[in-house]
Coordinates of all heavy atoms in Angstrom, one line a residue:
G3 N 113.2 108.8 103.9 CA 113.4 110.1 104.7 C 114.6 109.8 105.6 O 114.7 108.8 106.1
Y4 N 115.5 110.8 105.7 CA 116.7 110.6 106.5 C 117.1 111.9 107.1 O 116.7 113.0 106.7 CB 117.8 110.1 105.6 CG 118.2 111.0 104.5 CD1 119.3 111.8 104.6 CD2 117.5 111.0 103.3 CE1 119.7 112.7 103.6 CE2 117.9 111.8 102.3 CZ 119.0 112.7 102.4 OH 119.4 113.5 101.4
Q5 N 118.0 111.8 108.1 CA 118.5 113.0 108.8 C 119.9 112.8 109.4 O 120.7 113.7 109.4 CB 117.5 113.5 109.8 CG 118.0 114.6 110.7 CD 118.3 115.9 110.0 OE1 117.6 116.2 109.0 NE2 119.2 116.7 110.4
Q6 N 120.1 111.6 109.9 CA 121.4 111.4 110.7 C 122.6 111.6 109.8 O 122.7 111.3 108.6 CB 121.4 110.0 111.3 CG 120.3 109.9 112.3 CD 120.3 108.5 112.8 OE1 120.1 107.5 112.1 NE2 120.4 108.3 114.1
A7 N 123.6 112.2 110.5 CA 124.9 112.4 109.8 C 125.5 111.1 109.4 O 125.4 110.1 110.0 CB 125.9 113.1 110.8
G8 N 126.1 111.1 108.2 CA 126.8 109.9 107.7 C 125.8 109.0 106.9 O 126.3 108.0 106.3
R9 N 124.6 109.2 107.0 CA 123.6 108.3 106.3 C 123.6 108.5 104.8 O 123.2 107.6 104.0 CB 122.2 108.5 106.9 CG 121.2 107.4 106.4 CD 120.0 107.4 107.1 NE 120.2 106.9 108.4 CZ 119.2 106.7 109.3 NH1 118.0 107.1 109.0 NH2 119.5 106.2 110.5
Q10 N 124.0 109.7 104.3 CA 124.0 110.0 102.9 C 124.8 109.0 102.1 O 124.4 108.5 101.1 CB 124.6 111.4 102.7 CG 124.6 111.9 101.3 CD 123.2 112.1 100.7 OE1 122.3 112.6 101.5 NE2 123.0 111.9 99.4
H11 N 126.0 108.6 102.6 CA 126.8 107.7 101.9 C 126.2 106.3 101.8 O 126.3 105.6 100.8 CB 128.2 107.6 102.5 CG 128.9 108.9 102.5 ND1 129.4 109.6 101.4 CD2 129.2 109.8 103.6 CE1 129.9 110.7 101.7 NE2 129.9 110.9 103.0
F12 N 125.6 105.9 102.9 CA 124.9 104.6 102.9 C 123.8 104.6 102.0 O 123.6 103.6 101.2 CB 124.4 104.3 104.4 CG 123.6 103.1 104.5 CD1 124.1 101.9 104.5 CD2 122.2 103.3 104.6 CE1 123.3 100.7 104.6 CE2 121.4 102.2 104.8 CZ 121.9 100.9 104.7
L13 N 123.0 105.6 101.9 CA 121.8 105.7 101.0 C 122.3 105.8 99.6 O 121.6 105.2 98.7 CB 120.9 106.8 101.4 CG 120.2 106.7 102.7 CD1 119.4 107.9 103.1 CD2 119.3 105.5 102.7
D14 N 123.4 106.5 99.3 CA 123.9 106.5 97.9 C 124.2 105.1 97.5 O 123.9 104.7 96.3 CB 125.2 107.4 97.9 CG 124.9 108.9 98.0 OD1 123.7 109.3 97.9 OD2 125.9 109.6 98.3
R15 N 124.9 104.3 98.3 CA 125.2 102.9 98.0 C 124.0 102.1 97.8 O 123.9 101.3 96.8 CB 126.1 102.3 99.1 CG 126.6 100.9 98.8 CD 127.6 100.9 97.6 NE 128.0 99.5 97.4 CZ 128.3 99.0 96.3 NH1 128.3 99.8 95.2 NH2 128.7 97.8 96.2
I16 N 123.0 102.2 98.7 CA 121.8 101.4 98.5 C 121.1 101.8 97.2 O 120.6 100.9 96.5 CB 120.8 101.6 99.7 CG1 121.5 101.1 101.0 CG2 119.5 101.1 99.5 CD1 121.6 99.6 101.0
E17 N 121.0 103.1 96.9 CA 120.4 103.5 95.6 C 121.1 102.9 94.4 O 120.5 102.4 93.5 CB 120.4 105.1 95.6 CG 119.8 105.6 94.3 CD 119.7 107.1 94.2 OE1 120.0 107.8 95.2 OE2 119.4 107.6 93.2
H18 N 122.5 103.0 94.5 CA 123.2 102.4 93.4 C 122.9 100.9 93.2 O 122.7 100.4 92.1 CB 124.7 102.6 93.6 CG 125.6 101.9 92.7 ND1 125.8 102.3 91.4 CD2 126.3 100.7 92.8 CE1 126.6 101.5 90.8 NE2 127.0 100.5 91.6
L19 N 122.9 100.1 94.3 CA 122.6 98.7 94.2 C 121.2 98.4 93.7 O 121.0 97.5 92.9 CB 122.9 98.0 95.6 CG 124.3 98.0 96.0 CD1 124.4 97.5 97.4 CD2 125.2 97.1 95.1
L20 N 120.2 99.2 94.2 CA 118.8 98.9 93.8 C 118.7 99.2 92.3 O 118.0 98.5 91.6 CB 117.9 99.8 94.6 CG 117.6 99.4 96.0 CD1 116.8 100.5 96.8 CD2 116.9 98.1 96.1
K21 N 119.3 100.2 91.8 CA 119.2 100.5 90.4 C 120.0 99.5 89.5 O 119.5 99.0 88.5 CB 119.8 102.0 90.1 CG 118.9 103.1 90.6 CD 119.5 104.4 90.3 CE 118.5 105.5 90.7 NZ 119.1 106.9 90.4
Q22 N 121.2 99.2 90.0 CA 122.0 98.3 89.2 C 121.5 96.8 89.2 O 121.4 96.2 88.2 CB 123.4 98.3 89.8 CG 124.4 97.4 89.1 CD 125.8 97.3 89.8 OE1 125.8 97.3 91.0 NE2 126.8 97.4 89.0
R23 N 121.2 96.3 90.4 CA 120.8 94.9 90.5 C 119.3 94.6 90.2 O 118.9 93.6 89.7 CB 121.1 94.4 91.9 CG 122.6 94.3 92.2 CD 122.8 93.7 93.5 NE 124.2 93.7 93.9 CZ 124.7 93.3 95.0 NH1 123.9 92.8 96.0 NH2 126.0 93.4 95.3
Y24 N 118.4 95.6 90.6 CA 117.0 95.3 90.5 C 116.2 96.2 89.6 O 115.0 96.1 89.5 CB 116.4 95.4 91.9 CG 117.1 94.5 92.9 CD1 118.0 94.9 93.8 CD2 116.8 93.1 92.8 CE1 118.6 94.0 94.7 CE2 117.4 92.2 93.7 CZ 118.3 92.7 94.6 OH 118.9 91.8 95.5
G25 N 116.9 97.1 88.9 CA 116.2 98.0 87.9 C 115.3 99.0 88.5 O 114.3 99.5 87.8
V26 N 115.5 99.4 89.7 CA 114.7 100.5 90.3 C 114.8 101.7 89.5 O 116.0 102.1 89.1 CB 115.0 100.7 91.8 CG1 114.4 101.9 92.4 CG2 114.7 99.5 92.6
E27 N 113.7 102.4 89.2 CA 113.8 103.6 88.3 C 114.4 104.8 89.1 O 115.3 105.4 88.5 CB 112.4 104.0 87.9 CG 112.3 105.2 87.1 CD 110.9 105.6 86.8 OE1 110.1 104.7 86.4 OE2 110.5 106.8 86.9
S28 N 114.0 105.1 90.3 CA 114.5 106.2 91.0 C 114.2 106.1 92.5 O 113.4 105.3 92.9 CB 113.8 107.5 90.5 OG 112.4 107.5 90.8
I29 N 115.0 106.8 93.2 CA 114.9 106.9 94.7 C 114.5 108.3 95.0 O 115.2 109.3 94.6 CB 116.2 106.5 95.4 CG1 116.7 105.2 95.0 CG2 116.0 106.6 96.9 CD1 115.9 104.0 95.4
I30 N 113.4 108.5 95.7 CA 113.0 109.9 96.1 C 113.4 110.1 97.6 O 113.1 109.3 98.5 CB 111.5 110.0 96.0 CG1 111.0 109.8 94.6 CG2 111.0 111.4 96.5 CD1 109.6 109.6 94.4
R31 N 114.2 111.1 97.8 CA 114.7 111.4 99.2 C 114.2 112.7 99.7 O 114.1 113.7 98.9 CB 116.2 111.5 99.2 CG 116.9 110.2 98.8 CD 118.4 110.3 99.0 NE 119.1 109.2 98.4 CZ 120.4 109.1 98.4 NH1 121.1 110.0 99.1 NH2 121.0 108.0 97.9
E32 N 113.8 112.8 100.9 CA 113.4 114.0 101.6 C 114.1 114.0 103.0 O 114.2 112.9 103.6 CB 111.9 114.1 101.8 CG 111.2 114.3 100.5 CD 111.4 115.7 100.0 OE1 111.7 116.6 100.8 OE2 111.1 115.9 98.8
M33 N 114.5 115.1 103.5 CA 115.2 115.2 104.8 C 114.2 115.7 105.8 O 113.5 116.7 105.6 CB 116.4 116.2 104.7 CG 117.2 116.2 106.0 SD 118.7 117.2 105.9 CE 119.6 116.2 104.8
K34 N 114.1 114.9 106.9 CA 113.3 115.3 108.0 C 114.0 116.4 108.9 O 115.2 116.4 108.9 CB 113.0 114.1 108.9 CG 112.3 113.0 108.3 CD 111.8 111.8 109.2 CE 112.8 111.5 110.3 NZ 112.3 110.4 111.1
P35 N 113.2 117.2 109.6 CA 113.9 118.2 110.4 C 114.7 117.6 111.5 O 115.7 118.2 111.9 CB 112.7 119.1 110.9 CG 111.5 118.7 110.2 CD 111.8 117.4 109.5
T36 N 114.3 116.5 112.1 CA 115.0 115.8 113.1 C 114.7 114.3 113.0 O 113.7 113.9 112.7 CB 114.6 116.3 114.5 OG1 115.3 115.5 115.5 CG2 113.1 116.2 114.7
F37 N 115.8 113.5 113.3 CA 115.6 112.1 113.2 C 114.8 111.5 114.3 O 114.3 110.4 114.2 CB 117.0 111.4 113.1 CG 117.7 111.4 114.4 CD1 117.6 110.4 115.3 CD2 118.6 112.4 114.7 CE1 118.3 110.4 116.5 CE2 119.3 112.5 115.9 CZ 119.1 111.4 116.8
A38 N 114.6 112.2 115.4 CA 113.9 111.7 116.6 C 112.4 111.7 116.5 O 111.7 111.2 117.4 CB 114.4 112.5 117.8
K39 N 111.9 112.4 115.5 CA 110.4 112.5 115.4 C 110.0 112.0 114.0 O 110.7 112.0 113.1 CB 110.0 114.0 115.5 CG 110.3 114.6 116.9 CD 109.9 116.0 116.9 CE 110.2 116.6 118.3 NZ 109.8 118.0 118.4
P40 N 108.7 111.6 113.9 CA 108.1 111.2 112.6 C 108.2 112.4 111.6 O 108.3 113.5 112.0 CB 106.7 110.9 112.9 CG 106.6 110.7 114.4 CD 107.7 111.5 115.0
A41 N 108.2 112.0 110.4 CA 108.2 113.0 109.3 C 106.9 113.9 109.4 O 105.8 113.4 109.6 CB 108.2 112.4 107.9
P42 N 107.1 115.2 109.2 CA 105.9 116.1 109.3 C 105.0 115.9 108.0 O 105.5 115.4 107.0 CB 106.5 117.5 109.3 CG 107.9 117.4 108.8 CD 108.3 116.0 109.1
P43 N 103.8 116.3 108.1 CA 102.8 116.0 107.0 C 103.3 116.6 105.7 O 103.1 116.0 104.6 CB 101.6 116.8 107.4 CG 101.6 116.8 108.9 CD 103.1 116.9 109.3
G44 N 104.0 117.7 105.6 CA 104.5 118.2 104.4 C 105.4 117.3 103.6 O 105.3 117.1 102.4
I45 N 106.3 116.6 104.3 CA 107.2 115.6 103.7 C 106.4 114.4 103.2 O 106.6 113.9 102.1 CB 108.3 115.2 104.6 CG1 109.3 116.3 104.8 CG2 109.0 114.0 104.1 CD1 110.4 116.1 105.8
L46 N 105.5 114.0 104.0 CA 104.6 112.8 103.6 C 103.8 113.2 102.3 O 103.6 112.4 101.4 CB 103.7 112.4 104.7 CG 104.5 111.9 106.0 CD1 103.5 111.6 107.1 CD2 105.4 110.7 105.7
E47 N 103.3 114.4 102.3 CA 102.6 114.9 101.1 C 103.4 114.9 99.8 O 103.0 114.6 98.7 CB 101.9 116.2 101.4 CG 100.8 116.1 102.4 CD 100.4 117.5 102.9 OE1 100.9 118.6 102.4 OE2 99.5 117.5 103.8

C-alpha cells in the first residue's frame, strides 16, 4: 500500500527486481487515501 509522491518509481524498481531475481509472480498495489493513517478496511479486504 502506498501514497507518498515519488514512491511509484521506487516500487516499480522493486517489483522489477523481485520478478527478475526471485521469480515473484505478481505485486498487488493499492493506494491509501493518506500516508499518515493505516489502510482502511476496504483496502485490507
Side-chain angles (χ1 to χ4, degrees):
Y4 62 95
Q5 172 63 32
Q6 291 175 303
R9 189 169 287 181
Q10 181 71 31
H11 301 292
F12 172 75
L13 292 175
D14 289 345
R15 182 68 178 148
I16 294 295
E17 180 176 353
H18 173 76
L19 292 172
L20 286 171
K21 288 179 175 180
Q22 180 186 41
R23 292 184 186 176
Y24 302 103
V26 170
E27 178 184 315
S28 64
I29 306 290
I30 300 169
R31 297 188 192 179
E32 288 291 338
M33 187 174 287
K34 299 187 325 180
T36 176
F37 71 91
K39 295 181 181 178
I45 288 178
L46 299 177
E47 289 167 4

